Each structure stands twice: as structure tokens, then as C-alpha cells.
Amino acid sequence: MRTQLYIDGKWAEPVDGGSIEVINPATEEAFATLAIGNEKDADLAVKAARRAFDKDGWPQTTGKQRAVYLRRIATLIRERLEDIAKLEVLDNGKPLPEARWDIGDAAGCFDYYADLAEQLDDSNNQELAVSDDRFRCKVRREPLGVVGAIIPWNYPLLMSAWKVAPALAAGCTVVLKPAEITSLTAVELAAIAQQAELPAGVLNIVTGSGSRAGQAIITHPQVDKLAFTGSGRIGSHIMAEAAKDIKRVSLELGGKSPMVIFEDADIEAAVEWIMFGIFWNQGQVCSATSRVLVQRPIYDKLLERLAAETRKITIGNGMDEGVLLGPLVSRAQHETVQAAVERAREEGATVLVGGGRPASFDKGYYFEPTVITDMSLDSTVWNEEIFGPVVCVRPFDTEEEAVEVANDSRFGLAAAVMTKDQPRADRVSNALRAGIVWVNCSQPTFTEAPWGGYKQSGLGRELGKWGLENYLEIKQVTSFVSSDPWGWYIK
Ligand code: TAP
């Protein structure tokens, strides 16, 4: 398999002919060759998106017309779900059932924003009562323009959908740059867009590195908005670049999401939700349940059950039946996670379960599901995002203490509270400084509900109607409707 760039409705070789080998993280073997675009390709893609927006009439289509394309894309994704899911496993390493879930969700996201595109037709041009009845004011929502979308490697197709679907629904045109190490399903999305007969230039996909293709997109003067998911470091850089010419920007960054488990919680259920929260997708999830606070009376029991269940997890190639934990996405990510665990050890924490490469694998970027205890509140492992299957567990005594410790983080993406006491669940979920709070569960994600973080976890919200707002400008159109003259200068 050898890919190309998708620019202006056509497949293209990178101008300078660049390519890299794509590595299967389960085997460390190359299985495809990815086209690597650079600044010149990014420029061609942005210019195509600009022309499609300014001259070819995409922003002037009705929401109903755009919905037709979005639904076609959703249908085509579903028709190819199994093949795309397998490609995602080869590229990213996640277990196949998880990949199927992601691809189904991606299709659902296109369907959802098709509905919202249609609703935009009805809700647009709303009359607004103003304080002077000689004027009539209406408010229009208009597409923002050309969007540069930059996404990470943890949910390659799904993150593409979270940005492309609302942007197209709004009437924007898009240049998407997937992560270099997991670009293959985004290339499939391009093929699907072409099959769906999406007009040329409306969606362009430039595969390539962040430092070249990505940097060229985020600094391009013809891009109106940047939509980014990834690390805080690059998010901050993108925000700084966007500031230079006041590009709109939305950021979905990392987290160190706490789960607070009270003594009245169902221990078995809590253990299951912790595991779902930290081992799904090998813990490479921005909202991963990476800090767990357990009320002291149930601390030992819960830890014992968590350790026992964690030791049972089947690790292996994501293509194999029954595997619950695949390899990490790359050698670099494996080294990052291993270094974080070594640092935890140096800082005095106890690695209760896991902590390294499973003995039975000499190839592949496998990392054991890991449970860490006895870390101090100021330790690196408790405070910094690891982005791997590593959970930190600590005891607490009072509700006030739990809330204070949970909130003591520069992140604020997600949090969870486990208790049978509803007033306490309400109190704690109100007190947690996070964009998403789960009660008696962890990680359920709905296309309809807002997704995004407080503090350094990001800026703005994706999904739901908030996701569409990211791609719309607000225009007031005010008309003078009185038959009397205005009469200020000319009486
Ligand atoms: P990032 O470096 O933030 O990469 C995310 C995306 O940004 C990739 O497409 C990357 O391209 C691109 N990028 C990098 N530099 C850029 C630039 N100057 N201009 C425009 N785009 C640029 O994340 P990573 O290195 O893959 O992972 C590092 C850490 O980030 C992880 O360990 C984890 O802690 C965190 N992370 C968080 C998330 C979420 S969902 N919040 C997702 C992934 C990673 P290339 O990768 O192709 O060069």
C-alpha cells in the first residue's frame, strides 16, 4: 500500500516526492508507504480550500445540501467499517473491537452533523428584539472559512470525524493533517469523500510531519481557523501562532483525570470503570482515568481487586481474538511511558502491578497494564500526563480532601465520582473543576454532548451543538425600517 495526498479533489504525489514507511506497532514491521507532504503541498491544499470557500459556492449551499454529502460519507464509512477498523489496528495497535467502535462512532458523527446542518437552515436569520423599534435586527450564523485541522494518533479516524464533520456541516472548507504515524484511515476518509462526490477543495488531506506540513498550515495566512487535538506543548504553540493574525482556535489537549471513589461505592463496578478508564486504547486517551482517589475504609480491598483484575488482562496483537490491551502506538511512546514509570520508582512510588514490557513479547511496543501506589502529591507520576496504561491510586479521608486533591492539577478535562449517595454525587460533581464529570461510570462519550476541558486541558468544546459553533461566525444584520428620517445631521 502506497498513499498519496488528497488536494482539490484529486490524488497527488507530494511536490518533493517525500514518503515514510508505516510501522505496525504490534510487529515493528513496515506494511505501507505514506506520502509525506511539506510546505508546498500544504500551500496547495490551503489554496484549494480557499478557492472552494471563496469562489465555488460551498458556504452558500444550504444545510440540507451539505447534509446529503455528510450522510453519504457516513454510509460509506459504515459499508467499509470492517476494512477501516483493521487498517486502524495495523496503524495504531488498538484491539479490533475498539477500532470497530471508533469507526462506527466516526460514521455516527457524520450523521449527527448532517442533522445539525439541516437544523441550521431553520434556526438561521433569527429576529432579535432591539431597544429601538425603528430598527429590525436579525442574527445570522455563517461558516467561518478555511479550517486547518491537526489531529493526534490515538483515535485517527474518529478525531478526523470530530473536526471534519462539524466543519463541513457549518459550510467551512478543511485542510486536515493527521498524525504522521497514523494517517492511513484519514487517507481512507479522503477516498470516501471523493466517492461521496464532495466538491473539489472542500476537504483536503495532507499527510506529513507536524514540523513541516503542520507548521505550514497553522501559519498560513489564508487559513481562518485552527482546530487542534494533541499535546499541551503543541497546543500552546498553535495558540501563539494563531495569535499573530487572530485566527480562531479551538484546542483539545491533555488531562490527568481523577476518579473519586467513596466508601459506599460498589467496589466491583468501580474497579471495572477504572480499568475501562485507563486500559482502553492502552491508556492513550486524553480523558484517561489516570488518578484514582479511594476513601480509606475501602482502599485496601479496592486495590487488591484492581491488582487482581489488572493481572488477568490479555495483552497481544490487536488483530487477535480476546485481546484487551494492544501495543502502544510507537517506540517513542513506549519510551515515554517507560521513562514515566522509572521516574515514579525514583521518586519513591510503588509499582504494584506491571511497569514494563511484558516478558512474553520481544517484539512490538507492548507495555504491561500498570498500577502505581504510594506516590506523593507533588510527584511527577501523580501530576503529569503519561498517555499509557498507568494508573495512580491514593487513599483519602474526607470529601473536602478528595475534591481539593482532585482539583489540584493544571488540567481539567474529565473527572469521575463513584458513590451511591446522590446529594454527595451532586456536590462533588459541581465542585470538580473539569469539563466532563462522570457519575458512577467513566469515559462514556456521546456525539450529542459537549467535550472539552477547563484550565490547560483546552479551549472551546467539540461535539454536540457546541462543536458546530466552533465553525460558525455570528453576523448581525440591522435594517432601518422606519418611514421617518433618521434626522441627526439632516433635519
Ligand atoms: P503532538 O506533538 O501534540 O502531536 C499532535 C499533532 O500535532 C500531530 O498531528 C503532530 O504532527 C502535530 N504537530 C506537531 N508539531 C506541530 C506544529 N509545529 N504545527 C502543527 N502541527 C504540529 O503530540 P504527540 O507528540 O503525538 O504526543 C506527545 C504527547 O502528547 C503524548 O505523550 C500525550 O501526552 C499527548 N497527546 C495528547 C493527545 C490528546 S487527545 N490530548 C493526543 C496525542 C498525544 P506529527 O505527529 O505528524 O509530527
Side-chain angles (χ1 to χ4, degrees):
M1 179 182 189
R2 195 175 196 292
T3 70
Q4 293 182 306
L5 311 178
Y6 186 68
I7 298 175
D8 207 3
K10 295 185 280 293
W11 296 99
E13 288 297 327
V15 173
D16 288 347
S19 69
I20 57 165
E21 299 290 271
V22 184
I23 306 294
N24 177 346
T27 61
E28 302 186 31
E29 283 163 11
F31 69 98
T33 305
L34 184 79
I36 293 296
N38 63 21
E39 298 78 6
K40 295 172 194 160
D41 304 287
D43 182 56
L44 290 172
V46 171
K47 285 182 175 147
R50 190 77 258 168
R51 194 212 58 242
F53 190 85
D54 291 338
K55 302 213 167 83
D56 295 353
W58 179 250
Q60 287 76 40
T61 53
T62 63
K64 279 189 184 56
Q65 289 169 322
R66 295 193 294 276
V68 171
Y69 294 106
L70 292 169
R71 291 206 180 94
R72 270 188 213 157
I73 292 172
T75 303
L76 289 164
I77 292 175
R78 281 201 190 90
E79 279 173 18
R80 297 196 201 162
L81 192 145
E82 194 61 18
D83 288 345
I84 300 175
K86 285 183 176 153
L87 195 58
E88 202 79 295
V89 176
L90 289 175
D91 215 5
N92 164 282
K94 61 180 69 197
L96 183 56
E98 293 190 23
R100 289 190 185 114
W101 191 319
D102 291 359
I103 310 310
D105 269 4
C109 186
F110 279 96
D111 270 340
Y112 174 78
Y113 282 105
D115 291 349
L116 259 57
E118 288 177 341
Q119 289 166 24
L120 199 57
D121 287 342
D122 303 329
S123 63
N124 221 346
N125 295 314
Q126 275 182 355
E127 291 274 338
L128 185 76
V130 287
S131 56
D132 186 331
D133 61 11
R134 289 171 298 170
F135 295 89
R136 188 175 309 136
C137 184
K138 64 181 180 180
V139 177
R140 282 175 58 71
R141 314 309 311 276
E142 294 187 345
L144 228 157
V146 174
V147 174
I150 313 272
I151 58 161
W153 40 258
N154 56 344
Y155 289 96
L157 188 74
L158 190 56
M159 289 299 110
S160 306
W162 280 24
K163 290 181 172 47
V164 171
L168 299 190
C172 291
T173 58
V174 179
V175 178
L176 172 70
K177 195 209 80 69
E180 194 179 37
I181 55 171
T182 58
S183 291
L184 297 179
T185 53
V187 176
E188 283 301 300
L189 181 63
I192 282 172
Q194 191 178 44
Q195 204 182 339
E197 296 177 354
L198 193 69
V202 169
L203 174 63
N204 307 273
I205 297 185
V206 180
T207 51
S209 74
S211 56
R212 297 206 51 188
Q215 182 69 20
I217 293 167
I218 66 169
T219 53
H220 202 294
Q222 294 183 16
V223 171
D224 299 295
K225 186 215 156 74
L226 301 173
F228 173 76
T229 298
S231 66
R233 186 175 69 81
I234 301 298
S236 169
H237 170 70
I238 285 179
M239 199 167 164
E241 292 290 1
K244 291 179 185 162
D245 51 2
I246 321 290
K247 286 185 175 70
R248 276 60 177 150
V249 58
S250 51
L251 305 172
E252 207 275 81
L253 310 175
K256 191 77 181 179
S257 298
M259 175 187 279
V260 179
I261 305 171
F262 287 96
E263 59 182 320
D264 65 337
D266 177 333
I267 291 181
E268 290 304 300
V271 167
E272 166 106 283
W273 286 115
I274 294 170
M275 293 173 73
F276 188 62
I278 193 64
F279 300 139
W280 180 267
N281 206 19
Q282 294 66 246
Q284 301 165 131
V285 179
C286 50
S287 59
T289 306
S290 47
R291 289 188 295 150
V292 174
L293 290 150
V294 189
Q295 206 161 19
R296 207 170 298 273
I298 60 164
Y299 178 73
D300 289 342
K301 173 79 183 146
L302 185 138
L303 206 52
E304 182 197 311
R305 287 292 301 122
L306 177 62
E309 291 301 323
T310 299
R311 290 192 182 99
K312 287 190 211 160
I313 288 179
T314 309
I315 305 172
N317 187 321
M319 287 293 192
D320 294 343
E321 187 82 22
V323 163
L324 285 174
L325 198 89
L328 300 180
V329 71
S330 64
R331 182 184 298 279
Q333 194 60 16
H334 195 277
E335 286 168 3
T336 302
V337 175
Q338 187 68 70
V341 173
E342 293 319 318
R343 179 97 190 255
R345 283 197 176 101
E346 284 160 21
E347 289 181 342
T350 304
V351 179
L352 185 67
V353 183
R357 173 182 281 282
S360 47
F361 292 89
D362 54 4
K363 260 208 174 336
Y365 309 127
Y366 294 99
F367 200 91
E368 294 168 302
T370 299
V371 180
I372 297 186
T373 59
D374 306 320
M375 74 295 297
S376 67
L377 283 177
D378 59 0
S379 60
T380 316
V381 73
W382 182 256
N383 289 287
E384 296 304 321
E385 183 174 50
I386 295 176
F387 232 66
V390 180
V391 63
C392 297
V393 190
R394 277 184 67 88
F396 72 89
D397 292 300
T398 66
E399 181 180 317
E400 293 69 29
E401 178 198 352
V403 169
E404 191 180 324
V405 172
N407 282 340
D408 185 16
S409 171
R410 67 190 162 90
F411 298 113
L413 182 54
V417 50
M418 311 290 289
T419 177
K420 294 195 181 92
D421 178 342
Q422 191 57 50
R424 176 156 63 191
D426 293 341
R427 267 195 319 275
V428 173
S429 42
N430 290 346
L432 287 167
R433 302 260 305 140
I436 304 148
V437 177
W438 290 298
V439 178
N440 292 325
C441 60
S442 181
Q443 312 295 329
T445 303
F446 299 100
T447 312
E448 301 80 6
W451 182 273
Y454 284 22
K455 302 191 257 180
Q456 291 185 32
S457 286
L459 194 69
R461 294 292 178 272
E462 295 195 282
L463 298 183
K465 61 179 182 175
W466 302 270
L468 189 68
E469 299 289 328
N470 273 330
Y471 300 98
L472 292 168
E473 280 286 13
I474 303 170
K475 177 187 276 180
Q476 66 150 299
V477 180
T478 297
S479 311
F480 186 61
V481 292
S482 167
S483 50
D484 296 332
W486 177 237
W488 193 269
Y489 293 105
I490 303 173
K491 303 289 177 199

